[in-house]
Amino acid sequence: MSKEAILNKLSDAVVNGKPELAKEGANEALAAKIDALDAINNGLVKGMSIVGDKYGARQVYLPQVLMSAHTMYAGLDILLPAIPKAAVASMKKCATAVVEGDVHDIGKNIVKTMLTASGFSVNDLGRDVPIQQIVDLAKNDKLDAIALSTLMTPTMDGMKSAVDGLVENGYRKNVKICIGGAPTSAEFAKEIGADHRDANAQDCAAWLKEVF
Ligand code: B12
């Protein structure tokens, strides 16, 4: 099978939400000695970007996005370990988290997917994440960016506490803080001292790619 055919197979598998085909394509890519990062970027990620654009244009809906994300991760599980350490070390490090007190993580999972698809090394902390854990991890792991999510008004303060905690531990100037979720706004981001707010995951990934 040609390199192009394998890359198209990976992209189509993600667009159509076929995890078994993504695994098959990933193994074929490694067997054909295709560079793992190339197979990720020009195969899996190409497919996920197509789905992201269709989602933004309301041509596909949440279940398809989640199935495509699941498929991309099925391929990533095989290809990520094959990326040379040096290449991983050069990737910008980002963490995603739904702030303390909030269990709404579907949106955050799409943010995680779009950041991964944009070439970031993403450490997903999950949901209802204690603010201190976010603040400590940022400094200890020397993160380049943090993407915080909340869908509830009562838990928005957790985002301000995260920013304040990073000011206190002296790491604030080293990390970009992005926020999102329906109750948040660009004004709120400014008010709490975060760097950026976006309504959707793709725009956030695009903004972070631009700033780095
Ligand atoms: C699904 C859902 C649930 C599920 C969550 C399942 C899960 N694993 O996430 C369950 C049933 C568990 C749930 C529980 C509750 N829920 Co609820 N839930 C919803 C619902 C219907 C959909 C949210 C969703 O997933 N949308 C789909 C995703 C894809 O969209 P999204 O999250 O908005 O994400 C997109 C953008 O916002 C953005 N984004 C999101 N995060 C981020 C982060 C960054 C950095 C960026 C850039 C972008 C970004 O990008 C995403 C995709 O592009 C909303 C109503 C609504 N329509 O929003 C209510 C809602 C959020 N829930 C609400 C409430 C009150 C609750 C409960 C307290 C109810 C109760 N009394 O028990 C509990 C909360 C418990 C807790 N401690 O968190 C309220 C919040 C009101 C408020 N403003 O405070 C809402 C708005 C419903 C309502 N109208 O009252 N909920």
Side-chain angles (χ1 to χ4, degrees), residues 156-165 188 191-192:
M156 288 168 71
D157 287 352
M159 293 178 161
K160 180 171 182 348
S161 310
V163 177
D164 295 348
F188 176 69
E191 190 190 307
I192 67 171

Side-chain angles (χ1 to χ4, degrees), residues 160 163-164 172 177 179 184-197:
K160 180 171 182 348
V163 177
D164 295 348
R172 176 68 190 91
I177 301 176
I179 66 168
T184 68
S185 64
E187 294 70 36
F188 176 69
K190 215 176 192 162
E191 190 190 307
I192 67 171
D195 294 289
H196 196 67
R197 188 268 179 182

Side-chain angles (χ1 to χ4, degrees), residues 5 14 28-29 36 66 73 91 93 105 121 131 146 152 166 173 175 181 185 187 190 192 201 204:
V14 172
E28 284 162 357
L66 297 176
Y73 282 110
M91 292 161 87
K93 292 198 291 184
D105 63 354
S121 162
I131 300 303
I146 301 172
M152 300 204 298
L166 288 162
K173 61 189 177 316
V175 64
S185 64
E187 294 70 36
K190 215 176 192 162
I192 67 171
C204 175

Side-chain angles (χ1 to χ4, degrees), residues 103-115:
V103 301
H104 296 90
D105 63 354
I106 297 171
K108 179 269 296 168
N109 290 340
I110 297 176
V111 172
K112 174 182 90 176
T113 301
M114 294 305 170
L115 290 174

Side-chain angles (χ1 to χ4, degrees), residues 3 20 39-41 45 65 67 75 79 85-86 110 112 128 135 140 142 150 153 155 175 185 191 193 196-197 202 210:
K3 174 179 174 182
E20 291 314 312
I40 290 173
N41 291 334
V45 166
V65 175
M67 200 52 216
L79 292 169
K85 294 273 167 299
I110 297 176
K112 174 182 90 176
D128 188 16
V135 169
N140 300 342
K142 297 191 174 42
T150 195
T153 312
T155 48
V175 64
S185 64
E191 190 190 307
H196 196 67
R197 188 268 179 182
Q202 304 93 286
E210 224 165 271

Side-chain angles (χ1 to χ4, degrees), residues 32 66 145 167 176:
L66 297 176
V167 172
K176 294 288 179 208

Side-chain angles (χ1 to χ4, degrees), residues 62-150:
L62 196 53
Q64 283 104 330
V65 175
L66 297 176
M67 200 52 216
S68 293
H70 173 66
T71 301
M72 183 181 82
Y73 282 110
L76 282 175
D77 288 347
I78 294 167
L79 292 169
L80 278 177
I83 298 180
K85 294 273 167 299
V88 175
S90 69
M91 292 161 87
K92 291 294 179 192
K93 292 198 291 184
C94 186
T96 49
V98 179
V99 296
E100 199 161 358
D102 190 346
V103 301
H104 296 90
D105 63 354
I106 297 171
K108 179 269 296 168
N109 290 340
I110 297 176
V111 172
K112 174 182 90 176
T113 301
M114 294 305 170
L115 290 174
T116 305
S118 300
F120 289 91
S121 162
V122 181
N123 179 355
D124 178 30
L125 305 180
R127 55 189 185 173
D128 188 16
V129 182
I131 300 303
Q132 200 54 46
Q133 183 188 339
I134 297 168
V135 169
D136 295 344
L137 182 105
K139 187 167 185 178
N140 300 342
D141 281 21
K142 297 191 174 42
L143 293 181
D144 300 295
I146 301 172
L148 299 177
S149 177
T150 195

